[in-house]
C-alpha cells in the first residue's frame, strides 16, 4: 500500500473507496458538483492545501474538468497537483449504463494504473492523524443532546476554521 502525506481530492465516495484500497492518505470527496454549494468544503480543501498542497484526481470527463477548474479558482496554482486518469471507454461495474461521456471514472480504472499515477507522490510519511470522537464524547462535551448544542458546535467549528456542517 502506498503511503502519501498529501490529501487527495476525488469526486465521490466510490472513488474514495477505490483509492482507500491502494493508498494510505487522507482522501476528501467533492461530492461531485456538491462542492459548488458547499463553500465550507472549498475552504477546508484550501486550508489543507496551504501546508504541502493537495492532489486532485477527478474523472477524465467534462464534469471532472469543471470540478478541477473550480479548485483552480480557489487554491494557489503551486498548491495543486493534478493527476489525470486515461480516457478509457467503458462502464463501471456497479452501474447499469456507462457515464454520459462513456469513459471510466477513477473507480473504474485498473488498480495498477492508479498505483502508477500515485507512486511518485508516495513519500512514506503517514498522513496527519485524525482525532476520533464518539457520540458519547460529543454528549459529554455538550456538543449534542442539549438545547444549545448546535450553537456550540457552530462556535467550535468557526474557532477551528472548520466547515460548520
Amino acid at each position: 500500500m502506498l503511503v502519501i502525506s498529501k490529501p487527495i481530492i476525488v469526486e465521490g465516495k466510490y472513488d474514495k473507496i477505490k483509492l482507500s484500497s491502494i493508498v494510505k492518505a487522507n482522501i476528501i470527496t467533492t461530492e461531485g458538483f456538491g462542492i459548488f454549494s458547499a463553500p465550507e468544503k472549498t475552504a477546508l480543501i484550501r486550508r489543507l492545501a496551504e501546508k504541502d498542497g493537495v492532489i486532485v484526481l477527478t474523472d477524465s470527463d467534462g464534469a471532472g474538468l469543471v470540478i478541477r477548474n473550480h479548485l483552480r479558482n480557489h487554491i494557489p496554482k503551486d498548491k495543486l497537483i493534478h493527476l489525470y486518469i486515461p480516457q478509457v471507454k467503458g462502464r463501471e461495474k456497479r452501474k447499469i449504463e456507462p457515464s454520459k461521456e462513456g469513459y471510466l471514472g477513477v473507480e473504474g480504472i485498473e488498480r495498477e494504473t492508479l498505483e502508477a499515477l500515485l507512486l511518485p507522490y508516495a513519500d512514506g510519511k503517514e498522513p496527519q492523524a485524525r482525532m476520533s470522537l464518539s457520540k458519547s464524547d460529543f454528549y459529554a462535551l455538550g456538543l449534542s443532546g442539549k438545547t444549545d448544542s448546535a450553537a456550540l458546535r457552530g462556535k467550535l467549528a468557526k474557532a477551528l476554521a472548520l466547515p460548520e456542517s
Side-chain angles (χ1 to χ4, degrees), residues 96-107:
I96 296 169
E97 299 283 325
S99 68
K100 184 178 178 182
E101 295 180 29
Y103 298 117
L104 292 175
V106 171
E107 71 174 280

Side-chain angles (χ1 to χ4, degrees), residues 10-28:
V10 295
E11 290 182 47
K13 68 180 181 180
Y14 294 105
D15 299 335
K16 181 176 181 174
I17 291 167
K18 175 79 174 236
L19 281 187
S20 294
S21 70
I22 298 169
V23 66
K24 184 174 183 180
N26 289 325
I27 303 169
I28 292 105

